[in-house]
Amino acid sequence: MRGNAPLAAVSVNRGASASEKTEPGTMPGTFSADHRTWTSSGGLFADSRYDVEASTSPATGIAGTTSVRTSFVTGVPAKSFKVSWEPVAGQTVGIGAPISLTFSAPASSRAAVQSRLVVRTDPPVLGAWNWLSNRVVMWRPEGYWKPGTKVHVEANFAGYDAGGGRLGVKDRAMDFVIGSAQVSKVDSATHTMKVFRDGQLLRTMPVSLGRPSLPSMDGPHNVLGKSPEVIMDSATVGIPQGNPDYYYEKVQWAVNYTSGGQYVHSAPWSVPSQGRANVSHGCVNASPADAQWFYNFTRLGDIIDIVNTGRPPDTSQLGNAWSVPWATWKAGSALPVSDQLAPVVSLDSAVSTVTPGPVTATPRTGAAGAGA
């Protein structure tokens, strides 16, 4: 029943949850015009204690004011809807790093999921989400990031009904920073790799790219990761044992730039050909010294731009987001994409504007009550 005592104040504090790995927080909300109802602007986290306090204001015909306190604990859904992402909080990444989100289950509604995602940058940039599948969505700017850009990302799934009995268990947020502009330009025709930082040439490396029958892939690629040693088995990319091109090698100082298995890596066996001929199975071969230097130099999101191989980029593979024209990229969004830059906001004070699963407090006669 709706009462006639206006609310003076409402606070909803959330406790930490060990199972959900969340810190304490508060739930923001807004009052109705007559201050008789308060509605949250967020959903409830799973396995969390909530402490609610509400008080009323003086009102004609009502004797005095009152305040109440109550608390409740939320449960844990049998099936949850969660998200993981890259980059991770606190990371400094290259100018070509997209924001990649992977969901624990397919999104039954891409638009509904995307409406709960927030990206804010300082300075503002024009960017858009693009769905690779119902479980993976990426955000990238129209052009490369500007070094020094601060990026804030939110995925607000607390209380979200993802369908199939799956519920969102919490909101997540993280911040990362764009580092210096590190771009490596690889020319298959000259067999060289030139490494630049903020436009300054740091190193020119003789390299060997893919042989004519197994060419390397053209295009600007963003670094996906690196490892001091990887096992390369051609059977994983469709070249089985018995094929003349079959290989199984342990390689050092491997920097991965496509999900199809192309790397810049150490290749002591091809040093005589590096700078002279293309003899690899598709990767960029470098000397052990050059490969180790590059491994230590590069980071997630740096650009490796390869030209003159004759093999176009495969945009179905990760690492090739920058080969997708902007018009095509933004067409992959589940929601309309604005071509206007968002206003500058303080990332330190950024809060979600999404409103799934509200909690409402409505005063009763002479008292204030809150319910979930």
Side-chain angles (χ1 to χ4, degrees), residues 156-327:
N156 296 302
F157 292 119
Y160 169 60
D161 185 349
R166 294 186 180 274
L167 294 176
V169 295
K170 61 183 177 181
D171 295 342
R172 294 190 65 190
M174 67 101 169
D175 299 272
F176 65 92
V177 178
I178 307 301
S180 53
Q182 298 185 169
V183 178
S184 298
K185 298 182 178 180
V186 184
D187 191 333
S188 180
T190 62
H191 318 293
T192 58
M193 176 172 171
K194 295 183 177 181
V195 184
F196 296 83
R197 175 185 283 153
D198 294 328
Q200 179 182 358
L201 178 63
L202 300 184
R203 196 176 184 102
T204 299
M205 300 160 45
V207 294
S208 179
L209 280 73
R211 65 190 66 173
S213 60
L214 295 167
S216 302
M217 188 185 300
D218 270 345
H221 312 285
N222 51 281
V223 171
L224 300 174
K226 59 183 183 178
S227 176
E229 182 176 277
V230 298
I231 294 176
M232 294 189 174
D233 183 351
S234 69
T236 63
V237 291
I239 305 175
Q241 292 189 47
N243 188 299
D245 289 318
Y246 174 76
Y247 57 89
Y248 183 95
E249 297 280 354
K250 287 184 178 180
V251 301
Q252 281 70 48
W253 312 122
V255 177
N256 180 219
Y257 59 84
T258 75
S259 59
Q262 294 202 357
Y263 293 76
V264 177
H265 64 80
S266 172
W269 56 85
S270 71
V271 167
S273 298
Q274 292 165 19
R276 301 178 56 232
N278 293 324
V279 299
S280 84
H281 291 86
C283 292
V284 178
N285 287 185
S287 71
D290 280 342
Q292 184 175 6
W293 177 89
F294 184 68
Y295 175 90
N296 291 327
F297 168 82
T298 199
R299 62 192 167 203
L300 179 78
D302 284 351
I303 294 295
I304 298 174
D305 196 355
I306 300 176
V307 297
N308 293 324
T309 72
R311 178 185 175 187
D314 179 356
T315 56
S316 69
Q317 295 185 18
L318 301 180
N320 296 305
W322 297 102
S323 291
V324 180
W326 176 242

